């Protein structure tokens, strides 16, 4: 087992991955949002989307939350990026890139490092190589897994966008929920993609967790699952049912998502409990 502040960040760096810039942009996004610098946050959202298209969900989120400053700066930045790509690579290559993205959704990966629902299900039925990476060898597409992956993504995105945050809509917890959903939803989520979640843990630990807002052990468990490479669990690769435990990062991501939503529910309960007292205080003042 190898532990670090986040193995995703360390892996991205060791692999020379662009993911390391995604981790940086996301940390900046959290900082800008906490500081109320929405236009700067919108720029980072667009930069994230240009590297990882699933983060375009963040711009959709700004639209639905009415965060017009972030949306405007994000769309302007995205438009500039698209214009630069078209001028540099031409229309044909850019359209070909869209074909590549579409093709990736239909190329299963059973490798243990694919910490997604698709990876979990393909490993569960032993559809593809679990322990060794083959760049150009893909297992056959299993239709029911493909549709289950799409349905899961749709359910997670719908939950994140439609959750009743009420007066807390558009806050840091709401934004973090959308970001975690964007990480968990694709059919291929490599373990180093989870590095973006580190700033969310930092915010939860220092800004949220206090008496009345959840058990610390749940947050600790989510952090342990996401921030460690639990290599011994790969011994279960050939064991039916038990090999789902190889998806520990995915489960950690779901737990983190659940904690964020539980925080939202706790805020609602707190508001419901304090409102009558405030009303009584107002009556006494009158």
């Amino acid at each position: 087992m190898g532990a670090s502040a986040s193995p995703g960040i360390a892996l991205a760096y060791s692999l020379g991955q662009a993911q390391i810039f995604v981790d940086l942009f996301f940390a900046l996004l959290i900082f800008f949002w906490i500081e109320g610098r929405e236009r700067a946050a919108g720029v980072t959202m667009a930069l994230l989307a240009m590297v990882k298209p699933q983060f375009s969900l963040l711009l959709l989120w700004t639209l639905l939350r009415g965060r017009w400053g972030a949306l405007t700066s994000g769309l302007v930045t995205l438009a500039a990026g698209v214009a630069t790509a078209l001028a540099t690579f031409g229309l044909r290559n850019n359209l070909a890139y869209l074909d590549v993205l579409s093709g990736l959704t239909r190329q299963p990966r059973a490798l243990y490092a694919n910490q997604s629902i698709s990876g979990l299900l393909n490993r569960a039925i032993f559809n593809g190589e679990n322990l060794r990476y083959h760049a150009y060898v893909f297992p056959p597409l299993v239709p029911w897994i493909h549709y289950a992956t799409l349905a899961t993504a749709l359910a997670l995105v719908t939950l994140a966008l439609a959750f009743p945050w009420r007066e807390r809509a558009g806050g840091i917890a709401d934004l973090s929920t959308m970001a975690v959903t964007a990480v968990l939803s694709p059919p291929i989520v490599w373990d180093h993609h989870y590095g973006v979640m580190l700033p969310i843990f930092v915010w939860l630990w220092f800004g949220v967790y206090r008496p009345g807002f959840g058990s610390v052990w749940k947050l600790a468990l989510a952090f342990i699952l996401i921030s460690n490479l639990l290599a011994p669990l790969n011994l279960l690769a050939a064991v039916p049912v038990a090999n789902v435990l190889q998806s520990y990062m995915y489960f950690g991501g779901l737990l983190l998502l659940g904690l964020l939503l539980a925080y939202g529910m706790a805020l609602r309960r707190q508001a419901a409990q304090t409102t009558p007292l405030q009303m009584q205080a107002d009556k006494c003042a009158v």
Side-chain angles (χ1 to χ4, degrees), residues 128-164:
E129 180 61 62
N130 185 319
L131 298 177
R132 289 182 296 177
Y133 177 74
H134 299 283
Y136 304 106
V137 178
F138 302 95
L141 178 69
V142 179
W144 72 266
I145 291 180
H146 176 68
Y147 292 120
T149 300
L150 292 177
T152 301
L154 180 60
L156 290 175
V157 171
T158 301
L159 176 62
L161 291 176
F163 186 79

mmCIF file of all heavy atoms in Angstrom, residues 128-164:
data_model
loop_
_atom_site.group_PDB
_atom_site.id
_atom_site.type_symbol
_atom_site.label_atom_id
_atom_site.label_comp_id
_atom_site.label_asym_id
_atom_site.label_seq_id
_atom_site.Cartn_x
_atom_site.Cartn_y
_atom_site.Cartn_z
ATOM 1 N N GLY A 128 -12.008 -8.755 -19.860
ATOM 2 C CA GLY A 128 -10.804 -7.993 -20.140
ATOM 3 C C GLY A 128 -9.723 -8.189 -19.097
ATOM 4 O O GLY A 128 -9.948 -8.778 -18.043
ATOM 5 N N GLU A 129 -8.539 -7.693 -19.408
ATOM 6 C CA GLU A 129 -7.374 -7.824 -18.538
ATOM 7 C C GLU A 129 -7.509 -6.926 -17.317
ATOM 8 O O GLU A 129 -7.761 -5.732 -17.439
ATOM 9 C CB GLU A 129 -6.107 -7.466 -19.322
ATOM 10 C CG GLU A 129 -4.827 -7.556 -18.516
ATOM 11 C CD GLU A 129 -4.569 -8.946 -17.984
ATOM 12 O OE1 GLU A 129 -4.414 -9.878 -18.799
ATOM 13 O OE2 GLU A 129 -4.532 -9.089 -16.744
ATOM 14 N N ASN A 130 -7.335 -7.519 -16.159
ATOM 15 C CA ASN A 130 -7.522 -6.796 -14.907
ATOM 16 C C ASN A 130 -6.226 -6.181 -14.386
ATOM 17 O O ASN A 130 -6.221 -5.070 -13.875
ATOM 18 C CB ASN A 130 -8.107 -7.755 -13.855
ATOM 19 C CG ASN A 130 -8.461 -7.082 -12.538
ATOM 20 O OD1 ASN A 130 -7.734 -6.238 -12.045
ATOM 21 N ND2 ASN A 130 -9.579 -7.474 -11.966
ATOM 22 N N LEU A 131 -5.113 -6.877 -14.525
ATOM 23 C CA LEU A 131 -3.884 -6.496 -13.832
ATOM 24 C C LEU A 131 -2.810 -5.889 -14.724
ATOM 25 O O LEU A 131 -1.862 -5.294 -14.221
ATOM 26 C CB LEU A 131 -3.308 -7.709 -13.105
ATOM 27 C CG LEU A 131 -4.202 -8.310 -12.006
ATOM 28 C CD1 LEU A 131 -3.544 -9.542 -11.410
ATOM 29 C CD2 LEU A 131 -4.492 -7.276 -10.925
ATOM 30 N N ARG A 132 -2.917 -6.035 -16.030
ATOM 31 C CA ARG A 132 -1.894 -5.504 -16.939
ATOM 32 C C ARG A 132 -2.528 -4.567 -17.956
ATOM 33 O O ARG A 132 -3.606 -4.831 -18.471
ATOM 34 C CB ARG A 132 -1.163 -6.642 -17.654
ATOM 35 C CG ARG A 132 -0.231 -7.442 -16.750
ATOM 36 C CD ARG A 132 0.506 -8.522 -17.533
ATOM 37 N NE ARG A 132 -0.423 -9.516 -18.068
ATOM 38 C CZ ARG A 132 -0.063 -10.550 -18.834
ATOM 39 N NH1 ARG A 132 1.203 -10.700 -19.189
ATOM 40 N NH2 ARG A 132 -0.965 -11.404 -19.255
ATOM 41 N N TYR A 133 -1.805 -3.493 -18.229
ATOM 42 C CA TYR A 133 -2.307 -2.490 -19.167
ATOM 43 C C TYR A 133 -1.855 -2.810 -20.584
ATOM 44 O O TYR A 133 -0.670 -3.040 -20.835
ATOM 45 C CB TYR A 133 -1.792 -1.102 -18.771
ATOM 46 C CG TYR A 133 -2.203 -0.017 -19.735
ATOM 47 C CD1 TYR A 133 -3.519 0.450 -19.768
ATOM 48 C CD2 TYR A 133 -1.278 0.552 -20.608
ATOM 49 C CE1 TYR A 133 -3.899 1.450 -20.642
ATOM 50 C CE2 TYR A 133 -1.650 1.564 -21.491
ATOM 51 C CZ TYR A 133 -2.961 1.999 -21.507
ATOM 52 O OH TYR A 133 -3.343 2.983 -22.377
ATOM 53 N N HIS A 134 -2.814 -2.825 -21.511
ATOM 54 C CA HIS A 134 -2.526 -3.008 -22.931
ATOM 55 C C HIS A 134 -3.113 -1.810 -23.675
ATOM 56 O O HIS A 134 -4.331 -1.615 -23.709
ATOM 57 C CB HIS A 134 -3.133 -4.309 -23.453
ATOM 58 C CG HIS A 134 -2.611 -5.532 -22.770
ATOM 59 N ND1 HIS A 134 -1.376 -6.064 -23.040
ATOM 60 C CD2 HIS A 134 -3.158 -6.325 -21.812
ATOM 61 C CE1 HIS A 134 -1.173 -7.136 -22.291
ATOM 62 N NE2 HIS A 134 -2.247 -7.317 -21.529
ATOM 63 N N ALA A 135 -2.245 -1.016 -24.265
ATOM 64 C CA ALA A 135 -2.686 0.244 -24.858
ATOM 65 C C ALA A 135 -3.674 0.058 -26.001
ATOM 66 O O ALA A 135 -4.586 0.874 -26.182
ATOM 67 C CB ALA A 135 -1.473 1.035 -25.330
ATOM 68 N N TYR A 136 -3.519 -0.999 -26.800
ATOM 69 C CA TYR A 136 -4.325 -1.132 -28.015
ATOM 70 C C TYR A 136 -5.181 -2.396 -28.029
ATOM 71 O O TYR A 136 -5.657 -2.812 -29.079
ATOM 72 C CB TYR A 136 -3.411 -1.107 -29.249
ATOM 73 C CG TYR A 136 -2.543 0.127 -29.304
ATOM 74 C CD1 TYR A 136 -1.178 0.055 -29.025
ATOM 75 C CD2 TYR A 136 -3.092 1.378 -29.585
ATOM 76 C CE1 TYR A 136 -0.379 1.192 -29.055
ATOM 77 C CE2 TYR A 136 -2.302 2.516 -29.619
ATOM 78 C CZ TYR A 136 -0.944 2.415 -29.353
ATOM 79 O OH TYR A 136 -0.161 3.549 -29.368
ATOM 80 N N VAL A 137 -5.363 -3.002 -26.871
ATOM 81 C CA VAL A 137 -6.187 -4.202 -26.774
ATOM 82 C C VAL A 137 -7.374 -3.899 -25.875
ATOM 83 O O VAL A 137 -7.201 -3.522 -24.717
ATOM 84 C CB VAL A 137 -5.393 -5.392 -26.210
ATOM 85 C CG1 VAL A 137 -6.300 -6.621 -26.086
ATOM 86 C CG2 VAL A 137 -4.192 -5.697 -27.090
ATOM 87 N N PHE A 138 -8.582 -4.019 -26.421
ATOM 88 C CA PHE A 138 -9.789 -3.712 -25.669
ATOM 89 C C PHE A 138 -10.692 -4.942 -25.617
ATOM 90 O O PHE A 138 -10.836 -5.652 -26.619
ATOM 91 C CB PHE A 138 -10.560 -2.561 -26.316
ATOM 92 C CG PHE A 138 -9.764 -1.295 -26.442
ATOM 93 C CD1 PHE A 138 -9.084 -0.995 -27.622
ATOM 94 C CD2 PHE A 138 -9.684 -0.404 -25.393
ATOM 95 C CE1 PHE A 138 -8.354 0.161 -27.750
ATOM 96 C CE2 PHE A 138 -8.954 0.767 -25.512
ATOM 97 C CZ PHE A 138 -8.284 1.052 -26.685
ATOM 98 N N PRO A 139 -11.315 -5.191 -24.493
ATOM 99 C CA PRO A 139 -12.293 -6.282 -24.431
ATOM 100 C C PRO A 139 -13.545 -5.908 -25.218
ATOM 101 O O PRO A 139 -13.754 -4.735 -25.543
ATOM 102 C CB PRO A 139 -12.588 -6.396 -22.933
ATOM 103 C CG PRO A 139 -12.334 -5.034 -22.404
ATOM 104 C CD PRO A 139 -11.191 -4.483 -23.211
ATOM 105 N N PRO A 140 -14.379 -6.879 -25.532
ATOM 106 C CA PRO A 140 -15.606 -6.572 -26.278
ATOM 107 C C PRO A 140 -16.562 -5.709 -25.460
ATOM 108 O O PRO A 140 -16.604 -5.812 -24.226
ATOM 109 C CB PRO A 140 -16.206 -7.956 -26.563
ATOM 110 C CG PRO A 140 -15.627 -8.844 -25.507
ATOM 111 C CD PRO A 140 -14.246 -8.326 -25.252
ATOM 112 N N LEU A 141 -17.295 -4.870 -26.159
ATOM 113 C CA LEU A 141 -18.287 -4.033 -25.495
ATOM 114 C C LEU A 141 -19.462 -4.893 -25.062
ATOM 115 O O LEU A 141 -20.038 -5.634 -25.869
ATOM 116 C CB LEU A 141 -18.774 -2.937 -26.434
ATOM 117 C CG LEU A 141 -19.854 -1.999 -25.885
ATOM 118 C CD1 LEU A 141 -19.290 -1.103 -24.790
ATOM 119 C CD2 LEU A 141 -20.445 -1.149 -27.014
ATOM 120 N N VAL A 142 -19.825 -4.814 -23.807
ATOM 121 C CA VAL A 142 -20.987 -5.527 -23.276
ATOM 122 C C VAL A 142 -22.139 -4.528 -23.199
ATOM 123 O O VAL A 142 -22.075 -3.574 -22.396
ATOM 124 C CB VAL A 142 -20.697 -6.121 -21.886
ATOM 125 C CG1 VAL A 142 -21.919 -6.846 -21.338
ATOM 126 C CG2 VAL A 142 -19.485 -7.061 -21.952
ATOM 127 N N PRO A 143 -23.174 -4.694 -24.001
ATOM 128 C CA PRO A 143 -24.231 -3.669 -24.080
ATOM 129 C C PRO A 143 -24.832 -3.288 -22.735
ATOM 130 O O PRO A 143 -25.021 -2.095 -22.453
ATOM 131 C CB PRO A 143 -25.272 -4.305 -25.014
ATOM 132 C CG PRO A 143 -24.461 -5.214 -25.893
ATOM 133 C CD PRO A 143 -23.394 -5.769 -24.996
ATOM 134 N N TRP A 144 -25.122 -4.272 -21.891
ATOM 135 C CA TRP A 144 -25.798 -3.926 -20.642
ATOM 136 C C TRP A 144 -24.890 -3.119 -19.716
ATOM 137 O O TRP A 144 -25.372 -2.244 -18.974
ATOM 138 C CB TRP A 144 -26.346 -5.163 -19.933
ATOM 139 C CG TRP A 144 -25.346 -6.079 -19.296
ATOM 140 C CD1 TRP A 144 -24.781 -7.181 -19.835
ATOM 141 C CD2 TRP A 144 -24.802 -5.954 -17.960
ATOM 142 N NE1 TRP A 144 -23.913 -7.770 -18.939
ATOM 143 C CE2 TRP A 144 -23.923 -7.049 -17.782
ATOM 144 C CE3 TRP A 144 -24.982 -5.059 -16.914
ATOM 145 C CZ2 TRP A 144 -23.209 -7.248 -16.600
ATOM 146 C CZ3 TRP A 144 -24.283 -5.251 -15.734
ATOM 147 C CH2 TRP A 144 -23.416 -6.330 -15.580
ATOM 148 N N ILE A 145 -23.582 -3.364 -19.776
ATOM 149 C CA ILE A 145 -22.659 -2.564 -18.981
ATOM 150 C C ILE A 145 -22.584 -1.146 -19.539
ATOM 151 O O ILE A 145 -22.541 -0.158 -18.785
ATOM 152 C CB ILE A 145 -21.258 -3.211 -18.949
ATOM 153 C CG1 ILE A 145 -21.300 -4.508 -18.151
ATOM 154 C CG2 ILE A 145 -20.229 -2.254 -18.354
ATOM 155 C CD1 ILE A 145 -19.959 -5.226 -18.052
ATOM 156 N N HIS A 146 -22.578 -1.033 -20.866
ATOM 157 C CA HIS A 146 -22.549 0.288 -21.496
ATOM 158 C C HIS A 146 -23.755 1.116 -21.075
ATOM 159 O O HIS A 146 -23.611 2.286 -20.667
ATOM 160 C CB HIS A 146 -22.520 0.113 -23.018
ATOM 161 C CG HIS A 146 -22.578 1.397 -23.781
ATOM 162 N ND1 HIS A 146 -21.556 2.323 -23.781
ATOM 163 C CD2 HIS A 146 -23.561 1.917 -24.587
ATOM 164 C CE1 HIS A 146 -21.885 3.357 -24.537
ATOM 165 N NE2 HIS A 146 -23.091 3.139 -25.032
ATOM 166 N N TYR A 147 -24.925 0.508 -21.115
ATOM 167 C CA TYR A 147 -26.131 1.248 -20.766
ATOM 168 C C TYR A 147 -26.220 1.496 -19.258
ATOM 169 O O TYR A 147 -26.734 2.540 -18.816
ATOM 170 C CB TYR A 147 -27.365 0.517 -21.273
ATOM 171 C CG TYR A 147 -27.460 0.508 -22.785
ATOM 172 C CD1 TYR A 147 -27.473 -0.683 -23.499
ATOM 173 C CD2 TYR A 147 -27.509 1.708 -23.500
ATOM 174 C CE1 TYR A 147 -27.537 -0.691 -24.885
ATOM 175 C CE2 TYR A 147 -27.575 1.717 -24.882
ATOM 176 C CZ TYR A 147 -27.586 0.519 -25.564
ATOM 177 O OH TYR A 147 -27.643 0.516 -26.936
ATOM 178 N N ALA A 148 -25.725 0.565 -18.465
ATOM 179 C CA ALA A 148 -25.698 0.770 -17.012
ATOM 180 C C ALA A 148 -24.773 1.928 -16.648
ATOM 181 O O ALA A 148 -25.069 2.715 -15.743
ATOM 182 C CB ALA A 148 -25.249 -0.502 -16.300
ATOM 183 N N THR A 149 -23.667 2.051 -17.384
ATOM 184 C CA THR A 149 -22.737 3.153 -17.149
ATOM 185 C C THR A 149 -23.390 4.487 -17.503
ATOM 186 O O THR A 149 -23.277 5.468 -16.754
ATOM 187 C CB THR A 149 -21.455 2.954 -17.982
ATOM 188 O OG1 THR A 149 -20.833 1.714 -17.608
ATOM 189 C CG2 THR A 149 -20.481 4.099 -17.760
ATOM 190 N N LEU A 150 -24.069 4.533 -18.644
ATOM 191 C CA LEU A 150 -24.761 5.762 -19.046
ATOM 192 C C LEU A 150 -25.858 6.121 -18.049
ATOM 193 O O LEU A 150 -26.018 7.298 -17.688
ATOM 194 C CB LEU A 150 -25.360 5.590 -20.440
ATOM 195 C CG LEU A 150 -24.373 5.464 -21.610
ATOM 196 C CD1 LEU A 150 -25.122 5.230 -22.920
ATOM 197 C CD2 LEU A 150 -23.498 6.713 -21.712
ATOM 198 N N ALA A 151 -26.611 5.112 -17.593
ATOM 199 C CA ALA A 151 -27.694 5.368 -16.644
ATOM 200 C C ALA A 151 -27.151 5.873 -15.310
ATOM 201 O O ALA A 151 -27.727 6.781 -14.687
ATOM 202 C CB ALA A 151 -28.510 4.093 -16.430
ATOM 203 N N THR A 152 -26.037 5.297 -14.876
ATOM 204 C CA THR A 152 -25.424 5.740 -13.621
ATOM 205 C C THR A 152 -24.947 7.186 -13.738
ATOM 206 O O THR A 152 -25.145 8.004 -12.827
ATOM 207 C CB THR A 152 -24.245 4.832 -13.252
ATOM 208 O OG1 THR A 152 -24.708 3.487 -13.112
ATOM 209 C CG2 THR A 152 -23.602 5.276 -11.942
ATOM 210 N N ALA A 153 -24.308 7.507 -14.864
ATOM 211 C CA ALA A 153 -23.834 8.875 -15.078
ATOM 212 C C ALA A 153 -25.002 9.852 -15.083
ATOM 213 O O ALA A 153 -24.938 10.928 -14.462
ATOM 214 C CB ALA A 153 -23.060 8.964 -16.390
ATOM 215 N N LEU A 154 -26.083 9.496 -15.785
ATOM 216 C CA LEU A 154 -27.260 10.355 -15.844
ATOM 217 C C LEU A 154 -27.853 10.561 -14.451
ATOM 218 O O LEU A 154 -28.231 11.687 -14.085
ATOM 219 C CB LEU A 154 -28.306 9.764 -16.787
ATOM 220 C CG LEU A 154 -29.608 10.557 -16.950
ATOM 221 C CD1 LEU A 154 -29.322 11.944 -17.504
ATOM 222 C CD2 LEU A 154 -30.578 9.801 -17.858
ATOM 223 N N ALA A 155 -27.912 9.482 -13.667
ATOM 224 C CA ALA A 155 -28.468 9.576 -12.315
ATOM 225 C C ALA A 155 -27.610 10.483 -11.430
ATOM 226 O O ALA A 155 -28.139 11.321 -10.687
ATOM 227 C CB ALA A 155 -28.581 8.183 -11.693
ATOM 228 N N LEU A 156 -26.287 10.335 -11.505
ATOM 229 C CA LEU A 156 -25.404 11.148 -10.678
ATOM 230 C C LEU A 156 -25.478 12.626 -11.065
ATOM 231 O O LEU A 156 -25.544 13.503 -10.197
ATOM 232 C CB LEU A 156 -23.962 10.649 -10.805
ATOM 233 C CG LEU A 156 -23.640 9.294 -10.164
ATOM 234 C CD1 LEU A 156 -22.208 8.880 -10.482
ATOM 235 C CD2 LEU A 156 -23.855 9.336 -8.657
ATOM 236 N N VAL A 157 -25.469 12.898 -12.368
ATOM 237 C CA VAL A 157 -25.524 14.286 -12.825
ATOM 238 C C VAL A 157 -26.858 14.924 -12.443
ATOM 239 O O VAL A 157 -26.909 16.079 -11.983
ATOM 240 C CB VAL A 157 -25.296 14.365 -14.347
ATOM 241 C CG1 VAL A 157 -25.564 15.770 -14.863
ATOM 242 C CG2 VAL A 157 -23.871 13.944 -14.691
ATOM 243 N N THR A 158 -27.942 14.181 -12.618
ATOM 244 C CA THR A 158 -29.266 14.695 -12.255
ATOM 245 C C THR A 158 -29.339 14.994 -10.765
ATOM 246 O O THR A 158 -29.863 16.037 -10.346
ATOM 247 C CB THR A 158 -30.361 13.691 -12.647
ATOM 248 O OG1 THR A 158 -30.314 13.457 -14.058
ATOM 249 C CG2 THR A 158 -31.738 14.215 -12.275
ATOM 250 N N LEU A 159 -28.801 14.083 -9.955
ATOM 251 C CA LEU A 159 -28.797 14.299 -8.511
ATOM 252 C C LEU A 159 -28.010 15.548 -8.139
ATOM 253 O O LEU A 159 -28.459 16.363 -7.326
ATOM 254 C CB LEU A 159 -28.196 13.071 -7.809
ATOM 255 C CG LEU A 159 -28.029 13.166 -6.285
ATOM 256 C CD1 LEU A 159 -29.383 13.337 -5.608
ATOM 257 C CD2 LEU A 159 -27.315 11.925 -5.744
ATOM 258 N N ALA A 160 -26.839 15.713 -8.742
ATOM 259 C CA ALA A 160 -25.996 16.865 -8.413
ATOM 260 C C ALA A 160 -26.656 18.179 -8.818
ATOM 261 O O ALA A 160 -26.594 19.170 -8.079
ATOM 262 C CB ALA A 160 -24.639 16.728 -9.097
ATOM 263 N N LEU A 161 -27.297 18.198 -9.976
ATOM 264 C CA LEU A 161 -27.894 19.439 -10.476
ATOM 265 C C LEU A 161 -29.221 19.761 -9.796
ATOM 266 O O LEU A 161 -29.560 20.935 -9.627
ATOM 267 C CB LEU A 161 -28.096 19.353 -11.986
ATOM 268 C CG LEU A 161 -26.830 19.341 -12.842
ATOM 269 C CD1 LEU A 161 -27.195 19.142 -14.307
ATOM 270 C CD2 LEU A 161 -26.035 20.638 -12.664
ATOM 271 N N ALA A 162 -29.972 18.712 -9.415
ATOM 272 C CA ALA A 162 -31.318 18.928 -8.893
ATOM 273 C C ALA A 162 -31.393 18.888 -7.369
ATOM 274 O O ALA A 162 -32.467 19.110 -6.808
ATOM 275 C CB ALA A 162 -32.272 17.869 -9.477
ATOM 276 N N PHE A 163 -30.292 18.627 -6.692
ATOM 277 C CA PHE A 163 -30.341 18.545 -5.231
ATOM 278 C C PHE A 163 -30.820 19.880 -4.655
ATOM 279 O O PHE A 163 -30.348 20.945 -5.053
ATOM 280 C CB PHE A 163 -28.958 18.206 -4.672
ATOM 281 C CG PHE A 163 -28.960 17.955 -3.187
ATOM 282 C CD1 PHE A 163 -29.387 16.747 -2.682
ATOM 283 C CD2 PHE A 163 -28.561 18.950 -2.303
ATOM 284 C CE1 PHE A 163 -29.395 16.515 -1.307
ATOM 285 C CE2 PHE A 163 -28.572 18.734 -0.933
ATOM 286 C CZ PHE A 163 -28.991 17.507 -0.436
ATOM 287 N N PRO A 164 -31.753 19.849 -3.703
ATOM 288 C CA PRO A 164 -32.349 21.092 -3.180
ATOM 289 C C PRO A 164 -31.457 21.799 -2.155
ATOM 290 O O PRO A 164 -31.680 21.732 -0.950
ATOM 291 C CB PRO A 164 -33.652 20.603 -2.541
ATOM 292 C CG PRO A 164 -33.353 19.196 -2.108
ATOM 293 C CD PRO A 164 -32.436 18.641 -3.162
#
